[in-house]
Amino acid sequence: MLKSKLIHPQIAAALGRGGHTSRVLITDANFPHATRLGPRATLVHMNLMPGLVTSVQALEAVVSAVPIEAATVMQYHTSGPYALTQDPPIWADFRHVLDGVGFKDPLARLERFAFYDAAEGADVVLTIATGEQRLYANILLTIGVIMPK
């Protein structure tokens, strides 16, 4: 029986296989999981139904288990049907969770197809598919180092 916040055995196992600079991808319900899966990534489906589990809930669980060195989001469109004029509201939620574990760096941004390329990289150890309905709710985390006491 685990007593930490993260109790999902498949996610814990994938994180345990990852080390410094390994990456974890948390995706929204629109992400093309089957066609953008890294060759070494474990795909865990947490998309029970629309809105469950959310990207923020998955992020909370992951950051409770591993240190974060970097966090990258997919840059939103500024024209077309999915265009935004400011950062997606979920990014503030991501920042809040990351701030809570001491990660203060800004969210890095990658253009959509560059983000897809990074998501299917050989360094991605875990991809979590969520039921998140908000747009631009994908985040790619780089695992950091546990410093000696």
Side-chain angles (χ1 to χ4, degrees), residues 23 71-77 91 107-119 136 138 140:
R23 290 178 150 189
T72 304
V73 291
M74 181 188 296
Q75 176 61 44
Y76 54 87
H77 293 256
W91 289 7
L107 298 174
R109 300 172 185 211
L110 280 177
E111 178 275 331
R112 177 181 170 202
F113 290 104
F115 189 91
Y116 286 155
D117 289 344
Y136 302 104
N138 306 301
L140 184 62

Side-chain angles (χ1 to χ4, degrees), residues 77-118:
H77 293 256
T78 56
S79 63
Y82 310 113
L84 298 178
T85 57
Q86 59 186 10
D87 289 352
I90 195 164
W91 289 7
D93 295 341
F94 287 163
R95 286 187 186 105
H96 177 75
V97 171
L98 292 166
D99 284 348
V101 295
F103 180 81
K104 303 297 184 191
D105 293 347
L107 298 174
R109 300 172 185 211
L110 280 177
E111 178 275 331
R112 177 181 170 202
F113 290 104
F115 189 91
Y116 286 155
D117 289 344

Side-chain angles (χ1 to χ4, degrees), residues 16-131:
R17 284 193 315 273
H20 182 224
T21 72
S22 294
R23 290 178 150 189
V24 175
L25 176 64
I26 300 171
T27 69
D28 61 31
N30 292 303
F31 194 85
H33 308 102
T35 59
R36 296 294 182 168
L37 185 65
R40 295 186 179 106
T42 297
L43 176 58
V44 176
H45 290 278
M46 299 296 293
N47 46 346
L48 179 63
M49 58 190 233
L52 291 177
V53 166
T54 69
S55 291
V56 173
Q57 290 168 328
L59 178 62
E60 288 172 342
V62 169
V63 302
S64 75
V66 294
I68 304 303
E69 181 172 290
T72 304
V73 291
M74 181 188 296
Q75 176 61 44
Y76 54 87
H77 293 256
T78 56
S79 63
Y82 310 113
L84 298 178
T85 57
Q86 59 186 10
D87 289 352
I90 195 164
W91 289 7
D93 295 341
F94 287 163
R95 286 187 186 105
H96 177 75
V97 171
L98 292 166
D99 284 348
V101 295
F103 180 81
K104 303 297 184 191
D105 293 347
L107 298 174
R109 300 172 185 211
L110 280 177
E111 178 275 331
R112 177 181 170 202
F113 290 104
F115 189 91
Y116 286 155
D117 289 344
E120 59 186 335
D123 57 351
V124 177
V125 69
L126 172 64
T127 296
I128 301 173
T130 74

Side-chain angles (χ1 to χ4, degrees), residues 1-13 65:
M1 174 63 71
L2 299 172
K3 66 183 241 188
S4 66
K5 192 170 197 173
L6 175 66
I7 61 170
H8 191 285
Q10 223 181 343
I11 293 174

